[in-house]
Amino acid sequence: MIKKILLTKTGYTFFIRDLSQAYHTKEGFIKKADLKKNNVVIKTNKGEEMFILEPTFVDQYKKIKRGPQVILPKDIGTIITETGINSQSVVLDAGGGSGSLSCFLAHLVKTVYCYEIRPDFVKIIEENKTQFDLKNLEIKNQDVIKKIDEKNLDLITLDLPEPWHVLPHVEKALKPGAFLVVYLPTITQVIQFVAEVKKTKKLFYLKTLENLQRHWVVDDKIVRPEIQMLGHTGFIIVARKVVK
Amino acid sequence: MIKKILLTKTGYTFFIRDLSQAYHTKEGFIKKADLKKNNVVIKTNKGEEMFILEPTFVDQYKKIKRGPQVILPKDIGTIITETGINSQSVVLDAGGGSGSLSCFLAHLVKTVYCYEIRPDFVKIIEENKTQFDLKNLEIKNQDVIKKIDEKNLDLITLDLPEPWHVLPHVEKALKPGAFLVVYLPTITQVIQFVAEVKKTKKLFYLKTLENLQRHWVVDDKIVRPEIQMLGHTGFIIVARKVVK
Amino acid sequence: MIKKILLTKTGYTFFIRDLSQAYHTKEGFIKKADLKKNNVVIKTNKGEEMFILEPTFVDQYKKIKRGPQVILPKDIGTIITETGINSQSVVLDAGGGSGSLSCFLAHLVKTVYCYEIRPDFVKIIEENKTQFDLKNLEIKNQDVIKKIDEKNLDLITLDLPEPWHVLPHVEKALKPGAFLVVYLPTITQVIQFVAEVKKTKKLFYLKTLENLQRHWVVDDKIVRPEIQMLGHTGFIIVARKVVK
Amino acid sequence: MIKKILLTKTGYTFFIRDLSQAYHTKEGFIKKADLKKNNVVIKTNKGEEMFILEPTFVDQYKKIKRGPQVILPKDIGTIITETGINSQSVVLDAGGGSGSLSCFLAHLVKTVYCYEIRPDFVKIIEENKTQFDLKNLEIKNQDVIKKIDEKNLDLITLDLPEPWHVLPHVEKALKPGAFLVVYLPTITQVIQFVAEVKKTKKLFYLKTLENLQRHWVVDDKIVRPEIQMLGHTGFIIVARKVVK
């Protein structure tokens, strides 16, 4: 677990897990005594100034243990704002991977059920659950393609290669009016998935979108978009249970 | 207040406020008796099939009373995911406008204080508050440039033409480690704002970004991005209180 | 044919085809005598100042007669820079439509053969050819899917719904090392086309791309991207004849 | 000078400058005898198949000697299509750098005058001129801020940090109706430049834009935008001489 973060004047962040000894950086080391401080400017032995902070959720989240593919905050934001989930919501997240989406959602909603078939990934999700102290996250080492135990869910999120196989369970598990959000890296998967949603009786396909986030350098006279940009993460497909 | 929504097979939504009489559409009318149903397929007198649903938060939100400029869900998503606010958070939103951001945030967090200087806008915000039944939204008809009453806030959002005037109050009102998120339509405002943040003692400028959301048509063989796209809404600037 | 253009101080352009009488605008009319002037500031009878210019190619091009779908300058630019065509090049453009791409290319290269199957479109292309006085544009009212008469072409451009049917002719008609550029509105067409190119013996698939052009308002203190943006025109696919 | 190119089945290109000996790659070597072939499939000693081609202009251009900042083909395309230059045009390109823009334009137009103040860059431009055999490219080792010798130019392109200093010369050197295109990396430069253009008597500011080019992977079932994307190169500003 991250105990403190150091923010340099250039905007770089150090994540400190061990406060029992001095913390070494390229710009010098921070004394053990200084690591106990909060929300002040401290100096390395080389005189470099840094801010020391207690980590919040988003700081911890930046260092969450991750699997190969992860849904980024820009796309999590869409999941939240398209579906209106809040602290009253009960959510199922399947294809949990490292659990990064499940953890973010558990921070926001009442309960998250995270389905993950691979035991090695379940172990990572459990570590992440512990790190964030998310008692409302229930991890299930079972195959969502076989069944969904829950009923009356406010949201189901799927991050799986072939999410169409889950549709019969989704139709039963969602509360009427509730949402299904699927995250897919290729447009070929999107085409197949949307076709399958349109064949169901209870689900209605709403939209497919992608988020391009552009970061800017704003540094006195140098004001321009950043040169490198993420050109693609995944497509987000939103469907809704319209028939009970 | 919206009592029911009708979703057509082509994806168009009708928002029904009055259930005491038949509802007329171009595709025919829905009988009063059918408007009482939920989560079924109903037919207009012309035989057109539609889904009838009880509105959820996001349905209501689509018809929120709006002022001239509004922060869109794609940008609200960034505010949420960059700051990690949740049901424990206390937020101040200034330059409330029609209160659309305040209402979305109040749906998610513990308390929202919404500052708005114009009495006509305050009236709209109050109507929106009533519509969403948001008891945790406190509307203040006062100028945030003059003062901020609250302390220990988890987030301050500013949607004002000259947010730099609020910085001295922001420095005092934010909890250490908490965030300031500013929304600005022009890059010239961004340049001035970031320069002013960099002059403060307690705030640290983190990033400037913009969100481009691209919607896709996925209709059998017709799969392509939508022709029209929002090329710009606003720049989002994130800063953080790093010194207590 | 456009004889003169008027450019207002706000950037709006009027295209004048008739110099034999005064020209009327919302900001007043321009006297017939003033329409003979060039490259000066003239005034309407209401005192509004405008610039009067002789039209160049790009001015004429803005008013070219167009069919339903047209390849925009942003995408024509890619065709030119990806293939290196110049005044030595011989090009075939098929699915001519209104001939707007053919006309632009004929302005740049040695010869353009424009294939178009529909006689009504051929008539439009002929009008455009006359307007631009493009003697090097040869219009052929024949089906490119049936045959290509020419050999040793430097570039073939296809703007057709099913360009894969033309591939056998393309393989023969292109000069070794020369390019095929295809413009397709949907990704489903792109998928099918690229699969077919990969089955040929002589053509090699190089790339698929799309151009997003973002225009900015730069008006004193108001500096921001334009609100409305073209989110999609078409995908551009580039292939090359690698085997003689 | 590049004598041959090898294109692998995965789309990678090798550029061969020396045909007097076998060419070695990771996938094995190509025999000297095979390097004389054209437009056939040849094999490395390890049996890997490759296409061998004579280089065209765009092949050579990919290996042009470059300075630190270079205007990419996506932006050169805009310069061509916004201004309508062709084989009749006379162009001045200042802030030549490595001459990459000058060389591309010289390939298209009648004459290019390339102004470059730094002798070391002039040397690179001369090498590039020789490589492309561009007799219509005249390189001038002089400061465009001091003077422009030419008159009646069809286009002036500026790739300089402070292009506003050149405006008085641009006003005189351009043909009436002709274009000035400026390429600037930061929006702060754009703001200053546009303000200065608006103060001139003879030039009219037309537009500012930027090109985002998105490349796609189209590989059987894997069809998606490329993960990495260039988020920014430069802003393109177009102005026109409207008063003689």
Side-chain angles (χ1 to χ4, degrees):
Chain A
M1 187 178 293
I2 294 154
K3 303 260 175 57
K4 285 288 166 75
I5 63 166
L6 287 176
L7 196 58
T8 73
K9 294 276 167 115
T10 60
Y12 188 83
T13 306
F14 294 105
F15 299 86
I16 309 179
R17 293 169 197 274
D18 178 6
L19 300 181
S20 71
Q21 53 183 354
Y23 186 79
H24 289 262
T25 78
K26 277 184 190 171
E27 288 85 21
F29 68 85
I30 303 287
K31 283 182 296 183
K32 183 179 159 187
D34 281 347
L35 293 179
K36 285 176 188 150
K37 295 176 180 172
N38 274 329
N39 308 302
V40 292
V41 178
I42 56 178
K43 283 185 189 176
T44 70
N45 66 320
K46 292 182 180 173
E48 206 65 43
E49 290 189 334
M50 295 181 183
F51 304 109
I52 187 158
L53 298 172
E54 296 207 294
T56 62
F57 175 77
V58 288
D59 296 313
Q60 299 277 6
Y61 195 75
K62 275 173 195 144
K63 299 305 269 187
I64 195 171
K65 283 198 182 167
R66 289 179 176 184
Q69 185 191 299
V70 77
I71 299 180
L72 293 186
K74 73 181 176 69
D75 296 322
I76 297 177
T78 292
I79 296 173
I80 298 164
T81 55
E82 286 290 328
T83 65
I85 49 168
N86 71 358
S87 61
Q88 312 300 311
S89 308
V90 180
V91 176
L92 184 153
D93 172 40
S98 62
S100 65
L101 176 59
S102 285
C103 287
F104 203 106
L105 295 180
H107 175 69
L108 272 175
V109 304
K110 188 176 170 190
T111 309
V112 174
Y113 298 99
C114 176
Y115 280 57
E116 171 53 53
I117 195 172
R118 284 179 52 174
D120 51 337
F121 283 170
V122 165
K123 218 185 133 202
I124 297 175
I125 304 169
E126 276 166 358
E127 285 175 49
N128 283 327
K129 173 182 172 169
T130 303
Q131 186 191 324
F132 287 107
D133 193 26
L134 294 166
K135 296 186 177 64
N136 61 338
L137 170 60
E138 186 172 324
I139 305 161
K140 293 187 158 191
N141 182 200
Q142 66 188 61
D143 187 354
V144 75
I145 289 175
K146 291 203 178 130
K147 64 166 179 167
I148 291 179
D149 303 322
E150 292 74 21
K151 299 274 175 233
N152 226 27
L153 293 165
D154 295 294
L155 168 65
I156 294 175
T157 57
L158 300 176
D159 180 9
L160 307 161
E162 303 193 337
W164 40 86
H165 296 309
V166 192
L167 289 173
H169 311 314
V170 168
E171 287 191 85
K172 287 174 201 151
L174 278 182
K175 179 189 292 184
F179 292 92
L180 167 65
V181 180
V182 174
Y183 181 83
L184 287 168
T186 75
I187 194 73
T188 22
Q189 290 166 299
V190 173
I191 293 168
Q192 185 162 356
F193 179 71
V194 172
E196 295 294 332
V197 169
K198 288 182 177 177
K199 288 179 196 161
T200 68
K201 288 241 170 75
K202 300 188 173 181
L203 298 174
F204 188 75
Y205 164 70
L206 288 176
K207 65 177 79 172
T208 297
L209 61 84
E210 47 177 341
N211 291 308
L212 290 166
Q213 198 167 76
R214 209 167 183 214
H215 290 255
W216 279 69
V217 176
V218 183
D219 187 6
D220 195 20
K221 283 286 176 195
I222 310 298
V223 181
R224 58 163 176 76
E226 286 189 4
I227 307 296
Q228 288 302 324
M229 177 175 164
L230 257 183
H232 180 64
T233 53
F235 296 97
I236 296 172
I237 304 99
V238 185
R240 191 167 186 180
K241 180 168 174 178
V242 288
V243 171
K244 68 189 162 194
Chain B
M1 188 179 291
I2 294 154
K3 304 258 175 60
K4 286 286 166 72
I5 64 166
L6 287 176
L7 197 58
T8 72
K9 294 276 166 113
T10 59
Y12 188 82
T13 306
F14 295 104
F15 299 86
I16 309 178
R17 293 170 197 273
D18 177 6
L19 299 181
S20 70
Q21 52 183 358
Y23 186 79
H24 289 262
T25 78
K26 277 184 191 171
E27 289 85 21
F29 68 84
I30 303 287
K31 282 183 295 187
K32 183 180 159 188
D34 281 349
L35 293 179
K36 285 174 188 151
K37 295 175 181 171
N38 275 328
N39 307 303
V40 292
V41 177
I42 57 177
K43 283 185 187 174
T44 69
N45 65 322
K46 293 183 181 172
E48 205 66 42
E49 290 189 334
M50 295 181 183
F51 305 110
I52 188 158
L53 298 173
E54 296 207 294
T56 61
F57 176 77
V58 286
D59 297 312
Q60 298 277 7
Y61 194 75
K62 275 173 196 145
K63 300 304 271 187
I64 195 172
K65 284 199 181 166
R66 288 178 175 183
Q69 184 191 299
V70 75
I71 298 179
L72 293 186
K74 71 181 178 70
D75 296 322
I76 297 177
T78 293
I79 296 173
I80 298 164
T81 55
E82 286 291 327
T83 65
I85 49 168
N86 70 359
S87 61
Q88 312 301 310
S89 308
V90 180
V91 175
L92 184 153
D93 172 40
S98 61
S100 65
L101 176 59
S102 285
C103 287
F104 204 106
L105 296 179
H107 176 70
L108 272 176
V109 305
K110 187 176 170 189
T111 309
V112 173
Y113 298 98
C114 177
Y115 281 56
E116 172 53 53
I117 195 172
R118 284 180 51 175
D120 52 337
F121 282 171
V122 164
K123 220 186 131 201
I124 297 175
I125 304 169
E126 276 166 358
E127 286 176 49
N128 283 327
K129 173 182 173 170
T130 303
Q131 185 191 323
F132 286 107
D133 193 26
L134 293 166
K135 295 188 177 64
N136 62 337
L137 171 59
E138 186 172 325
I139 305 162
K140 293 187 157 191
N141 182 201
Q142 66 188 60
D143 186 356
V144 74
I145 290 175
K146 291 204 178 128
K147 64 166 180 168
I148 291 178
D149 302 325
E150 292 74 21
K151 299 276 175 230
N152 225 28
L153 293 165
D154 294 295
L155 168 64
I156 294 175
T157 56
L158 300 177
D159 181 9
L160 307 161
E162 303 193 337
W164 40 87
H165 296 309
V166 192
L167 289 173
H169 310 316
V170 168
E171 288 190 84
K172 288 175 201 151
L174 279 182
K175 181 189 291 185
F179 292 91
L180 167 66
V181 180
V182 174
Y183 181 83
L184 287 168
T186 75
I187 194 73
T188 21
Q189 290 166 299
V190 173
I191 293 168
Q192 184 162 357
F193 179 71
V194 171
E196 295 294 332
V197 169
K198 288 182 177 177
K199 287 180 195 160
T200 68
K201 288 242 170 74
K202 299 187 173 180
L203 299 173
F204 188 74
Y205 163 70
L206 288 177
K207 64 177 80 172
T208 297
L209 61 85
E210 48 177 340
N211 291 308
L212 290 165
Q213 197 168 75
R214 210 167 181 216
H215 291 255
W216 279 69
V217 176
V218 183
D219 188 6
D220 195 20
K221 284 287 175 194
I222 310 298
V223 180
R224 58 164 176 76
E226 286 189 4
I227 309 296
Q228 289 302 324
M229 177 176 164
L230 257 184
H232 180 64
T233 52
F235 296 97
I236 296 172
I237 304 100
V238 185
R240 192 167 186 180
K241 180 167 172 178
V242 289
V243 171
K244 68 189 163 196
Chain C
M1 187 178 291
I2 294 153
K3 303 259 175 58
K4 285 288 166 71
I5 63 167
L6 287 175
L7 196 60
T8 73
K9 294 275 167 115
T10 59
Y12 188 82
T13 306
F14 294 104
F15 299 87
I16 309 180
R17 292 171 198 272
D18 178 5
L19 300 181
S20 71
Q21 53 182 358
Y23 186 80
H24 289 263
T25 78
K26 277 184 189 171
E27 288 86 21
F29 69 84
I30 303 287
K31 282 183 296 185
K32 184 180 156 185
D34 281 348
L35 294 179
K36 285 174 189 153
K37 296 175 180 171
N38 275 327
N39 307 302
V40 291
V41 178
I42 57 178
K43 283 186 188 174
T44 69
N45 66 321
K46 292 184 180 171
E48 205 66 41
E49 290 190 334
M50 295 182 184
F51 305 110
I52 187 158
L53 299 172
E54 295 206 294
T56 62
F57 175 78
V58 287
D59 297 312
Q60 299 278 7
Y61 195 76
K62 275 172 195 146
K63 300 304 270 187
I64 195 172
K65 283 199 182 166
R66 289 179 174 183
Q69 185 190 298
V70 76
I71 299 180
L72 294 185
K74 71 181 179 69
D75 296 323
I76 297 177
T78 292
I79 296 173
I80 299 164
T81 55
E82 286 290 328
T83 66
I85 49 167
N86 70 358
S87 60
Q88 313 300 311
S89 308
V90 181
V91 176
L92 184 153
D93 173 40
S98 61
S100 65
L101 176 59
S102 286
C103 287
F104 204 104
L105 295 180
H107 175 70
L108 272 176
V109 305
K110 188 176 170 190
T111 308
V112 174
Y113 299 97
C114 177
Y115 281 56
E116 171 54 52
I117 195 171
R118 285 179 52 174
D120 52 337
F121 283 170
V122 165
K123 220 186 130 201
I124 297 175
I125 303 170
E126 276 166 359
E127 286 176 48
N128 282 328
K129 174 182 172 169
T130 303
Q131 186 191 324
F132 287 108
D133 193 26
L134 294 165
K135 296 189 176 63
N136 62 337
L137 170 59
E138 187 171 324
I139 305 162
K140 294 188 158 191
N141 182 200
Q142 67 187 60
D143 187 355
V144 74
I145 290 174
K146 291 204 179 130
K147 64 167 179 166
I148 291 178
D149 303 324
E150 291 74 22
K151 299 275 174 230
N152 227 29
L153 293 165
D154 295 295
L155 168 65
I156 294 175
T157 56
L158 300 177
D159 181 10
L160 306 162
E162 302 193 337
W164 40 87
H165 296 309
V166 193
L167 289 173
H169 311 316
V170 168
E171 287 190 86
K172 287 174 202 152
L174 279 181
K175 180 189 293 184
F179 292 92
L180 167 65
V181 180
V182 174
Y183 181 84
L184 288 168
T186 73
I187 193 73
T188 21
Q189 290 166 299
V190 172
I191 293 168
Q192 185 162 357
F193 179 71
V194 171
E196 296 295 332
V197 169
K198 288 182 176 176
K199 288 179 196 160
T200 69
K201 288 241 169 75
K202 299 187 174 181
L203 298 174
F204 188 74
Y205 163 71
L206 288 177
K207 65 177 80 172
T208 298
L209 61 84
E210 49 178 340
N211 291 308
L212 290 165
Q213 198 167 76
R214 209 167 183 215
H215 290 256
W216 279 69
V217 176
V218 183
D219 187 5
D220 195 20
K221 284 288 177 193
I222 310 297
V223 181
R224 57 162 177 76
E226 286 190 3
I227 308 296
Q228 289 303 323
M229 177 176 165
L230 257 184
H232 180 64
T233 54
F235 296 97
I236 296 172
I237 304 99
V238 185
R240 191 167 187 181
K241 180 167 172 178
V242 289
V243 172
K244 68 188 162 197
Chain D
M1 187 178 291
I2 294 153
K3 303 260 176 56
K4 284 289 167 72
I5 64 166
L6 288 176
L7 196 59
T8 72
K9 295 274 167 115
T10 59
Y12 188 82
T13 307
F14 295 104
F15 299 86
I16 310 179
R17 293 169 197 273
D18 178 5
L19 300 180
S20 71
Q21 54 183 354
Y23 186 79
H24 289 262
T25 77
K26 276 184 190 170
E27 288 85 22
F29 69 85
I30 303 287
K31 283 183 296 186
K32 183 180 157 185
D34 282 347
L35 293 179
K36 285 175 189 150
K37 296 175 180 171
N38 275 328
N39 308 302
V40 292
V41 178
I42 56 178
K43 283 185 188 175
T44 69
N45 66 320
K46 293 183 180 171
E48 205 66 42
E49 291 190 333
M50 296 182 183
F51 305 110
I52 187 157
L53 299 172
E54 295 207 296
T56 62
F57 176 78
V58 287
D59 296 313
Q60 299 278 7
Y61 194 75
K62 277 173 193 142
K63 301 305 271 186
I64 194 171
K65 284 199 181 166
R66 289 179 175 183
Q69 185 191 298
V70 76
I71 298 180
L72 294 186
K74 72 181 178 70
D75 296 322
I76 296 177
T78 292
I79 295 173
I80 298 164
T81 55
E82 287 290 328
T83 66
I85 49 167
N86 70 0
S87 61
Q88 313 301 311
S89 309
V90 180
V91 175
L92 184 153
D93 172 41
S98 61
S100 66
L101 176 59
S102 286
C103 287
F104 203 105
L105 296 179
H107 175 70
L108 273 175
V109 304
K110 189 176 171 190
T111 309
V112 173
Y113 299 98
C114 177
Y115 281 56
E116 172 54 53
I117 196 171
R118 284 179 53 173
D120 51 339
F121 283 170
V122 165
K123 220 186 131 201
I124 297 175
I125 303 169
E126 276 166 358
E127 286 176 50
N128 283 328
K129 174 183 172 169
T130 303
Q131 186 191 324
F132 287 107
D133 194 25
L134 294 165
K135 296 188 177 63
N136 62 338
L137 171 59
E138 186 171 325
I139 305 161
K140 293 188 158 190
N141 183 200
Q142 66 188 61
D143 187 355
V144 75
I145 289 175
K146 290 203 179 131
K147 64 166 179 167
I148 291 178
D149 302 324
E150 292 73 23
K151 300 273 175 234
N152 226 27
L153 293 165
D154 295 295
L155 169 64
I156 294 175
T157 56
L158 300 177
D159 180 10
L160 307 161
E162 302 193 337
W164 40 86
H165 296 310
V166 192
L167 289 173
H169 311 316
V170 169
E171 287 190 85
K172 287 175 203 153
L174 279 181
K175 180 189 293 184
F179 292 91
L180 166 65
V181 179
V182 175
Y183 181 84
L184 288 168
T186 74
I187 194 72
T188 22
Q189 289 165 299
V190 173
I191 293 169
Q192 184 163 357
F193 179 71
V194 171
E196 295 295 332
V197 169
K198 289 183 176 175
K199 287 180 196 160
T200 68
K201 288 241 170 73
K202 300 188 174 182
L203 299 173
F204 188 74
Y205 163 70
L206 289 177
K207 65 178 78 171
T208 297
L209 60 86
E210 48 177 341
N211 292 308
L212 290 165
Q213 198 168 76
R214 209 169 183 214
H215 291 256
W216 279 69
V217 176
V218 183
D219 187 6
D220 195 20
K221 284 286 176 196
I222 310 297
V223 180
R224 57 162 176 74
E226 286 190 3
I227 308 297
Q228 288 302 323
M229 176 177 166
L230 257 184
H232 180 63
T233 53
F235 296 96
I236 296 172
I237 303 99
V238 185
R240 192 166 187 181
K241 180 167 172 179
V242 289
V243 172
K244 69 189 161 195

